[in-house]
Amino acid sequence: MSLLDVKRLSVNYGVIKALKGISFHVEKGEIVALIGANGAGKTTILHTLSGLIKPADGQIMYNDTDLVHTPGHKIVSLGMAHVPEGRRVFADMTVLQNLKMGAYTRNDAAEFQSTLEMVYKRFPRLEERKNQLSGTLSGGEQQMLAMGRALMSHPDIILMDEPSMGLSPIFVNEIFSIIEDVNKDGVTVLLVEQNAKKALTIADRAYVLETGSIVKEGIADELLSDESIRKAYLGE
Ligand SMILES: Nc1ncnc2c1ncn2[C@@H]1O[C@H](COP(=O)(O)OP(=O)(O)OP(=O)(O)O)[C@@H](O)[C@H]1O
Ligand SMILES: [Mg+2]
């Protein structure tokens, strides 16, 4: 059984059909990339998985639970964490307060402390800046905070929306290598990216989305060398 199994998912915004019956699956332990141009529907997929948007049609099976009928606030406690597009940290709160918010589904103090230590170990910059207001962090540091906050909930799967957006190449490399490390520690990753090359380099498999439909899927390495993908998404 797949960790996540999405079938014939359709989402409309009024008359706009943002997702037109897409199906995909994510196996436990994988990094799966969703790539596609602006407006293809990538963020809409993640919002629907997290329960922020209810679909017009389709099924989202996560373990044994149909998320379509699960209220959004319960989804995090099922082990799914979302790192939203544009980071969305709480700007007026400190780094530590943001990390505490990520752990709101857990109330064991000892466990909180050990998870915090794990996050600080992964992101030493966050520990150095734990009392800094999050709105004053650099873009790359805010991305780290958004990831750290998601990890505070001990997710089984993490949904990442454009983690490389607006970051310098060095920071992009750092963020992607952290995503790989988090995955090696057992967290499944669904990665939405415009930076298709980077995403395909770390992913096991990928789906290509065009105006609300999946037009191609396969092993990431094979898509990296696919002529049509190279032309359309890798700028080659
Ligand atoms: N709240 C909304 N109301 C109306 N239309 C929306 C809404 N949110 C998204 N859309 C439309 O749905 C389509 C898919 O948007 P979505 O944000 O999922 O794309 P995306 O693949 O994440 O794009 P990007 O790479 O630019 O982030 C777009 O045409 C967008 O304009
Ligand atoms: Mg988007």
Side-chain angles (χ1 to χ4, degrees), residues 13 16 18 36-45 85 161-162 194 209:
Y13 296 111
I16 298 170
N38 291 117
K42 305 179 299 295
T43 296
T44 300
I45 292 177
E85 193 171 20
D161 200 345
E162 311 262 10
Q194 294 248 2
L209 199 64

Side-chain angles (χ1 to χ4, degrees), residues 151-179:
L151 290 175
M152 290 300 294
S153 69
H154 274 278
D156 296 319
I157 182 167
I158 190 160
L159 315 178
M160 307 211 53
D161 200 345
E162 311 262 10
S164 76
M165 200 203 285
L167 303 188
S168 68
I170 289 177
F171 246 107
V172 171
N173 287 341
E174 196 168 336
I175 293 287
F176 273 75
S177 105
I178 292 170
I179 296 171

Side-chain angles (χ1 to χ4, degrees), residues 135-155:
T136 66
L137 294 172
S138 76
E141 289 162 355
Q142 288 190 23
Q143 182 63 49
M144 290 180 174
L145 178 55
M147 286 170 68
R149 188 177 60 189
L151 290 175
M152 290 300 294
S153 69
H154 274 278

